[in-house]
Amino acid sequence: MYFAAKVDKEKCNGCKLCILSCPEPNVIKFNKDDKKVVIDAKRCKNCELCVVGCPSKAIEIVLLQDS
Amino acid sequence: MNNKIYKISPGFEKIMPKDYRDLVNDGPFDKKLGVKDLGTFKELIEEHPLCAGCGLALSKRLILASLPSPENTVIVGTTGCSSLSFAQVAIHNIHSIFGNQNALATGLKRALEIRFPDKTKDVVAMGGDGAIGDIGLGMVMHSWFRGEKFTTIMFDNEAYANTGGQESGMSQKGAVLNMAPTGKKYDKLPLPEIARAAGCVYSAVVTPARPKRLEKMVRRAVLLARELGPTYIQIYCPCPTNYKFKPSESLKRTKDMEKSGAYQIKEYISPAAEELIKKFEEEK
Ligand SMILES: Cc1ncc(C[n+]2csc(CCOP(=O)(O)OP(=O)(O)O)c2C)c(N)n1
Ligand code: SF4
Ligand code: SF4
Ligand code: SF4
Ligand SMILES: [Mg+2]
């Protein structure tokens, strides 16, 4: 069980600002098809830099259950 | 680097780790990708143990995405927080004893020129403010005086972070840290100006809150070092752990430091460097 950032696709405008504010590599990926980002929760350290940096308030921290 | 070196030999695809396969298939080698492409390719750094919200980690990601020719670059690192994330870097890199990076980079650059006279090999020395501004400063400055053709990049978190928070010469006057409880008594070292006076043809200061500017500076520094002489980049790296702010505040703190003038973005360019920059930025 841990916390990680999650993107709300409805709100994401694809500006990529979050990608440039995340200290962790290969976490936030840009999907060329729908022009939105996805976050690999397993690699996220829950620092919230992407959350405070997103102009569309599209990212929140959620509690994940181990599956 | 010949791309045969990192391509997987036939028959071994399945047993190589996924991260390695991703790097071969999706990595930036030979593709001329940059900071704007982050998020669309497999990066040259993998999961590392640096703290959540670490400004040094963000800067390192951005630097690695900015190198003009990663397949032909050798990085010389040194002890400090940054060294904990070098085993995860997919570019040739060498660890040097604390502060020795510029001495090692000198020998390496000269040896590469002898070994590969027809090829361009970039050498980049990277270290913390303690390694570059204090303990290794003699070796750093002498590499500049001698005109050694490589780039020096400082991760300036304004502290000895890896050892629990002592002040460094690069800490701001008055900075309070775990092991500087009464505050630092003297001013931050003017290292960008020292670099300029000591022979760097290019000396620049930037923060990870300006990724495109950072990229431009790294490219300029590496390309100028190839042709002209030593170059220096100093990057402010907010350290939430030692300066005791929330990880989520790293970039806000960076912008506040810029706004208050405590950390000023700047660029010193020698006349010869200015001319070369015009040339290669026009060519592009
Ligand atoms: C010769 C030597 N002296 C001292 C140390 C202990 N030491 C390890 S990391 C470090 C501080 C590093 O500070 P800095 O270069 O600013 O890097 P940071 O950890 O802040 O990124 C020190 C003093 C060492 N490893 N080797
Ligand atoms: S910063 Fe926000 S809006 Fe921009 S790409 Fe990231 S999630 Fe989408
Ligand atoms: S919370 Fe931090 S580590 Fe996780 S995706 Fe956002 S910026 Fe990256
Ligand atoms: S101590 Fe500071 S510089 Fe070192 S990894 Fe943690 S946040 Fe980064
Ligand atoms: Mg330091």
Side-chain angles (χ1 to χ4, degrees):
Chain A
M1 194 173 78
Y2 56 96
F3 292 93
K6 191 171 193 287
V7 180
D8 180 345
K9 284 216 166 190
E10 300 294 304
K11 292 189 191 157
C12 173
N13 66 18
C15 71
K16 293 198 199 173
L17 277 178
C18 52
I19 299 177
L20 299 180
S21 57
C22 176
E24 306 306 313
N26 302 307
V27 176
I28 314 184
K29 293 276 167 58
F30 183 73
N31 184 327
K32 283 177 186 153
D33 299 327
D34 65 4
K35 306 229 176 325
K36 290 175 194 291
V37 300
V38 276
I39 292 176
D40 183 347
K42 290 201 189 80
R43 292 164 180 263
C44 168
K45 283 187 188 160
N46 182 25
C47 71
E48 296 185 38
L49 279 170
C50 58
V51 178
V52 295
C54 173
S56 314
K57 300 209 181 326
I59 310 180
E60 60 174 356
I61 301 290
V62 296
L63 178 65
L64 301 172
Q65 306 290 337
D66 268 342
S67 52
Chain B
M1 182 161 73
N2 184 321
N3 53 17
K4 278 193 200 117
I5 290 179
Y6 62 83
K7 294 262 156 72
I8 300 170
S9 306
F12 287 83
E13 292 86 356
K14 277 200 186 124
I15 62 167
M16 290 303 281
K18 181 178 182 305
D19 283 330
Y20 193 93
R21 279 182 273 136
D22 288 350
L23 201 57
V24 174
N25 301 327
D26 253 341
F29 294 125
D30 297 318
K31 289 191 194 135
K32 304 264 172 259
L33 301 176
V35 159
K36 67 172 190 332
D37 305 298
L38 279 167
T40 65
F41 65 90
K42 176 75 173 176
E43 291 177 49
L44 292 170
I45 179 165
E46 249 307 328
E47 280 179 290
H48 53 66
L50 305 189
C51 309
C54 173
L56 191 160
L58 174 56
S59 300
K60 195 162 172 181
R61 258 189 93 212
L62 297 172
I63 294 168
L64 292 174
S66 305
L67 293 171
S69 178
E71 55 283 346
N72 288 302
T73 301
V74 186
I75 299 173
V76 182
T78 191
T79 318
C81 286
S82 62
S83 62
L84 302 177
S85 59
F86 265 116
Q88 302 87 334
V89 168
I91 298 182
H92 292 304
N93 62 85
I94 303 176
H95 177 78
S96 67
I97 301 297
F98 191 37
N100 280 18
Q101 68 290 331
N102 283 53
L104 201 156
T106 297
L108 176 69
K109 177 69 190 188
R110 292 186 187 184
L112 288 171
E113 274 177 358
I114 296 168
R115 174 67 182 79
F116 301 103
D118 315 323
K119 291 188 180 149
T120 308
K121 299 277 179 187
D122 298 322
V123 171
V124 181
M126 292 184 192
D129 45 312
I132 290 175
D134 292 345
I135 314 288
L137 185 60
M139 284 173 274
V140 169
M141 283 184 63
H142 274 274
S143 73
W144 293 342
F145 292 141
R146 291 192 306 267
E148 304 292 346
K149 291 163 112 181
F150 64 84
T151 301
T152 305
I153 302 182
M154 179 198 284
F155 296 107
D156 184 11
N157 51 18
E158 303 192 320
Y160 287 49
N162 194 238
T163 40
Q166 295 79 10
E167 69 177 47
S168 82
M170 298 300 286
S171 303
Q172 307 268 346
K173 189 174 182 176
V176 173
L177 289 148
N178 283 343
M179 279 163 266
T182 58
K184 191 191 176 210
K185 302 287 185 285
Y186 63 101
D187 285 332
K188 183 177 178 75
L189 303 186
L191 211 60
E193 289 72 24
I194 292 173
R196 179 176 59 168
C200 284
V201 299
Y202 181 82
S203 169
V205 180
V206 72
T207 78
R210 297 166 182 267
K212 299 221 169 98
R213 193 83 195 269
L214 187 154
E215 175 180 47
K216 195 172 191 178
M217 287 176 169
V218 170
R219 282 179 191 251
R220 284 180 167 183
V222 173
L223 295 173
L224 289 169
R226 266 185 207 168
E227 309 281 335
L228 282 181
T231 55
Y232 173 64
I233 299 187
Q234 181 177 307
I235 305 179
Y236 174 64
C237 297
C239 169
T241 304
N242 283 287
Y243 277 93
K244 304 185 198 309
F245 51 87
K246 288 190 201 136
S248 60
E249 288 168 1
S250 278
L251 286 173
K252 183 181 176 300
R253 190 179 165 94
T254 305
K255 287 173 191 156
D256 290 347
M257 293 280 280
E258 284 185 27
K259 242 185 244 155
S260 72
Y263 220 91
Q264 288 170 21
I265 310 293
K266 53 185 138 186
E267 213 176 10
Y268 298 120
I269 312 177
S270 77
E274 192 92 58
E275 248 173 63
L276 253 185
I277 289 176
K278 251 191 234 142
K279 210 180 103 199
F280 57 61
E281 287 180 3
E282 265 166 27
E283 274 168 17
K284 212 181 77 188

